[in-house]
Amino acid sequence: MSIEVKNMKLHAWIAEIKTICQPDAIYICDGSRQEYDSMMQKLIDSGSATPLKKRKNSFLFRSDPSDVARVEDRTYISTTSQDEAGPTNNWVAPAELKGIMKDLYKGCMKGRTMYVIPFSMGPIGSPMAKIGIEISDSPYVVVNMHLMTRVSSKVLELLGTDGDFIPCLHSIGAPLEPGQKDVQWPCAPIEQKYISHFPEENLIWSYGSGYGGNALLGKKCLALRIASAMAKREGWLAEHMLILRLTSPEGKQYHIAAAFPSACGKTNLAMMLPSLKGWKCECIGDDIAWLKIAPDGRLHAINPESGFFGVAPGTSYATNPMAMDTVRENVIFTNCALTDDGDVWWEGMEAELPSHLIDWKGHDWTPESKADAAHANARFTAHASQCPVICKDWENPAGVPIDIFIFGGRRTSVVPLVYEAFSWEHGVFLGATAASETTAANIGAVGNLRRDPFAMKPFCGYNMGDYFQHWFNMGEKLGSKAPKIFYVNWFRKSQDGKFLWPGFSDNSRVLKWICERVDGKIGAENSAIGLLPNEGDLDLSGLTLQSESIKELMSVNVDEWKAELPDIEAHFATFDKRLPAKLKDQLEELRKRLG
Ligand code: TSX
Ligand code: MN
């Protein structure tokens, strides 16, 4: 062992896992640059990583075709009673699940090194930070954790002899017999994959997958599922939200936290360049926010991560120039295509198609090929400090004071561009009923409406009915200092099927209206669903939008909204007795307002 382990709990845990998993070697990570480089060199030598000639210190990985995304069907919230996990989570009793997984873990690291990865979610030593230790047999996980979390021997120092941490056990589930040749992306078959959470003991066990949120356990597993359960117990919030700072031409700062389901362009919004003159947008985080009531009585947010694990396809200088500049060097790419001159490529990166590529499966690709060159869920991993619009306060241990919450979804019809909640309670209703139409990026049929409350459906580590109640409770604690809540839809289409709103940089116009509402500078129009911009209040200067388009974009059709009610009712019914009465009240009030 390169580092001495002084922490008693960690010492015992390493010994226990060593006995069960039987690795050939144990390596304690220190998070150093040298460690990253030597680990990456080993990955190159073994054929797992391809260095990119065109991008300094950047590497391409190709996963096994069966291991390309989070596996929600194989993700479990394991609480003593199933009711605690609730209707949105898969559940198996802790003893049974541990039994199944212990059998899988037996000897699962044979022929491999067991890496012990001490990491902090949030700035090391920040009062809002949490310490995790991931044990993994995947060197790919180690290098990704270096970018996405704060991996450091300082974390072990901070733990001392009896400090507490969240144990995150991970194995790819692919032991090597003596003499057995390794494959490029070892993993286990789908029926052996388990992503398990034990929120009653702050414990994560993951088996069988090496990809993303299944394997980088600091992110979805710790910072969302386990943290959400801790937050409920301790009176704070762990949310699937981007954080950004908007600065007005007068120099006034507004901090926004926003939740969107997948395929709504959350990372694009987090790094947006405003089209409105004099407005500035800075990124604090693109995926996760931890929010606590500070001594000033306001909600302060930190981004617990230290990097971006972003979807590559669709990212371009047109959709997200700041992300493109973030990934110019020091990047890990996964399941992107490889160009002949040694660069990465993906669908939606540029207008022109290369005449030849190696696709994400390692096969030749030409524009005549039927399949995509990059996998739809191909990723870049890059350190947040490389983002040109990263906020100087992104690592402030005290966080930033949140003024505004935004919820949203992708709706071709019905939902207007922007509206404001009447109250905190109404805002919680908007979050709880948030919905998005499925796109090609989702599995299954395109265009189906899917409820994804607070964009947390896959990430809430306890009963979601209780989660809604927790939001009401937080509102009561915050009182007049609670952030204002808004709902947006960038994706409304006209009758003839064209997007009515230009989106992207022009979303700054919507954010400006939101800021002016927060400042009480302007009024708003009452509607059945919430407060809408008064005509002329949305800054459309320099846009060539037909006034009919704006009308259509902002319109609230009472009959269409009435038709939404049965689906909301059915959605609420799934939470049964755990549904807060306040949400039923909100639904009845909406029904009354619709007349
Ligand atoms: O990310 C998006 N945002 C948020 C940006 C800050 N996307 C991409 C979603 C896929 C992940 C959007 N797509 C947005 C948006 O606001 N809006 C749209 C729809 C749209 C697409 C193309 C155009 C306009 C709107 N093109 C032209 O108008 C030329
Ligand atoms: Mn996410």
Side-chain angles (χ1 to χ4, degrees):
M1 275 188 218
S2 41
I3 302 171
E4 199 197 338
V5 172
K6 297 196 185 92
N7 184 274
M8 316 247 268
K9 173 175 163 179
L10 180 57
H11 198 88
W13 187 51
I14 292 172
E16 182 197 352
I17 302 308
K18 179 187 176 211
T19 304
I20 297 171
C21 300
Q22 298 165 41
D24 279 10
I26 297 179
Y27 176 86
I28 316 280
C29 298
D30 62 14
S32 67
R33 174 67 197 257
Q34 187 247 315
E35 179 175 278
Y36 182 93
D37 291 344
S38 70
M39 201 82 76
M40 194 60 88
Q41 191 55 53
K42 277 188 201 143
L43 284 159
I44 295 164
D45 295 343
S46 72
S48 291
T50 305
L52 297 168
K53 287 195 205 88
K54 287 282 177 171
R55 278 175 213 247
K56 197 175 124 197
N57 192 38
S58 298
F59 309 90
L60 174 64
F61 289 80
R62 289 187 203 106
S63 81
D64 188 276
S66 71
D67 197 25
V68 293
R70 284 187 298 105
V71 282
E72 290 185 11
D73 291 356
R74 312 287 313 167
T75 300
Y76 296 86
I77 300 297
S78 181
T79 42
T80 312
S81 92
Q82 181 166 10
D83 210 31
E84 288 306 311
T88 59
N89 287 307
N90 299 311
W91 178 86
V92 172
E96 186 186 345
L97 188 53
K98 283 185 179 175
I100 295 167
M101 292 190 74
K102 267 188 184 159
D103 281 346
L104 291 167
Y105 280 130
K106 262 179 210 155
C108 72
M109 295 187 186
K110 276 185 188 164
R112 303 192 182 277
T113 297
M114 173 174 128
Y115 300 97
V116 178
I117 314 165
F119 65 96
S120 177
M121 298 311 288
I124 296 173
S126 156
M128 287 178 92
K130 300 268 178 223
I131 291 175
I133 312 270
E134 178 160 352
I135 287 184
S136 174
D137 52 8
S138 164
Y140 169 84
V141 163
V142 176
V143 288
N144 275 275
M145 287 293 283
H146 266 232
L147 297 174
M148 293 306 297
T149 75
R150 282 110 173 152
V151 177
S152 172
S153 45
K154 279 190 212 139
V155 168
L156 292 181
E157 282 166 34
L158 201 64
L159 273 183
T161 53
D162 45 14
D164 202 12
F165 62 91
I166 298 160
C168 310
L169 175 57
H170 171 250
S171 173
I172 53 175
L176 289 169
E177 295 307 320
Q180 186 184 343
K181 198 177 166 290
D182 205 0
V183 295
Q184 193 181 292
W185 184 282
C187 62
I190 183 76
E191 66 276 6
Q192 284 177 20
K193 288 180 167 68
Y194 286 89
I195 319 300
S196 303
H197 308 73
F198 305 93
E200 289 160 349
E201 47 183 320
N202 292 343
L203 176 66
I204 301 163
W205 280 11
S206 168
Y207 186 90
S209 168
Y211 204 87
N214 301 332
L216 311 174
L217 302 186
K219 194 177 178 66
K220 303 303 192 181
C221 298
L222 193 163
L224 284 175
R225 297 195 192 97
I226 292 296
S228 66
M230 295 175 89
K232 168 76 167 62
R233 295 193 294 263
E234 298 168 5
W236 51 284
L237 295 166
E239 297 299 326
H240 189 205
M241 289 179 173
L242 66 86
I243 311 167
L244 64 82
R245 168 184 291 171
L246 199 63
T247 309
S248 74
E250 296 75 38
K252 183 162 180 198
Q253 291 180 355
Y254 304 84
H255 294 99
I256 301 179
F260 295 88
S262 61
C264 287
K266 208 161 109 206
T267 302
N268 300 344
L269 187 64
M271 301 178 185
M272 191 231 325
L273 295 175
S275 58
L276 285 176
K277 249 187 79 187
W279 287 78
K280 189 166 82 174
C281 179
E282 293 163 287
C283 178
I284 294 160
D286 81 327
D287 198 36
I288 302 175
W290 283 356
L291 307 111
K292 265 187 198 158
I293 302 176
D296 64 2
R298 301 184 62 195
L299 209 45
H300 284 240
I302 66 159
N303 168 15
E305 302 192 279
S306 62
F308 306 114
F309 184 66
V311 176
T315 306
S316 69
Y317 275 99
T319 60
N320 194 340
M322 294 303 99
M324 292 300 280
D325 284 347
T326 303
V327 301
R328 290 176 85 90
E329 54 184 43
N330 313 315
V331 184
I332 299 168
F333 294 98
T334 308
N335 287 346
C336 299
L338 178 67
T339 68
D340 291 349
D341 61 353
D343 200 358
V344 278
W345 190 88
W346 51 75
E347 278 68 23
M349 181 193 243
E350 54 204 6
E352 206 179 317
L353 298 182
S355 58
H356 178 261
L357 295 163
I358 303 295
D359 72 13
W360 70 276
K361 290 182 175 172
H363 302 140
D364 286 302
W365 183 97
T366 68
E368 284 74 50
S369 301
K370 282 196 181 70
D372 287 345
H375 187 275
N377 193 38
R379 298 279 171 155
F380 54 77
T381 320
H383 199 262
S385 61
Q386 296 195 159
C387 179
V389 290
I390 198 75
C391 181
K392 69 169 175 28
D393 280 321
W394 81 277
E395 296 196 275
N396 188 334
V400 296
I402 297 298
D403 302 285
I404 294 154
F405 277 126
I406 301 178
F407 300 116
R410 176 188 277 267
R411 294 296 300 268
T412 330
S413 60
V414 186
V415 180
L417 175 64
V418 59
Y419 58 107
E420 180 184 338
F422 295 120
S423 62
W424 180 270
E425 285 73 20
H426 183 227
V428 174
F429 174 80
L430 299 186
T433 55
S436 216
E437 281 158 22
T438 51
T439 70
N442 301 101
I443 328 157
V446 171
N448 284 352
L449 190 62
R450 220 183 253 181
R451 299 277 159 199
D452 186 357
F454 293 78
M456 279 290 278
K457 192 169 175 243
F459 306 117
C460 187
Y462 59 102
N463 191 305
M464 201 138 202
D466 296 353
Y467 169 93
F468 298 149
Q469 185 57 51
H470 183 47
W471 266 80
F472 285 122
N473 298 347
M474 289 299 287
E476 254 162 47
K477 278 193 208 160
L478 286 160
S480 64
K481 289 180 176 168
K484 295 262 183 293
I485 303 178
F486 296 81
Y487 198 96
V488 301
N489 172 28
W490 319 129
F491 302 94
R492 199 168 190 178
K493 284 183 175 174
S494 61
Q495 297 294 331
D496 52 343
K498 294 199 178 93
F499 284 116
L500 286 160
W501 179 247
F504 302 98
S505 294
D506 288 315
N507 292 336
S508 58
R509 302 168 189 277
V510 174
L511 301 186
K512 177 185 174 185
W513 179 78
I514 289 174
C515 292
E516 288 177 343
R517 282 296 299 160
V518 165
D519 284 342
K521 278 187 185 164
I522 51 170
E525 188 191 329
N526 243 304
S527 86
I529 64 161
L531 299 161
L532 298 167
N534 279 320
E535 206 173 314
D537 277 351
L538 201 60
D539 186 342
L540 302 173
S541 57
L543 270 189
T544 50
L545 271 182
Q546 303 295 317
S547 65
E548 275 88 273
S549 296
I550 281 295
K551 268 206 186 113
E552 210 177 338
L553 186 61
M554 288 301 177
S555 67
V556 175
N557 181 309
V558 167
D559 291 330
E560 284 174 0
W561 274 92
K562 278 184 185 167
E564 296 268 305
L565 296 176
D567 191 66
I568 296 176
E569 233 169 289
H571 166 58
F572 278 180
T574 62
F575 302 103
D576 198 29
K577 290 191 168 54
R578 301 262 187 155
L579 184 79
K582 279 186 174 167
L583 279 180
K584 252 186 225 163
D585 297 346
Q586 284 295 326
L587 178 57
E588 288 323 304
E589 280 171 40
L590 172 62
R591 199 192 302 279
K592 266 190 245 155
R593 289 193 304 264
L594 289 167

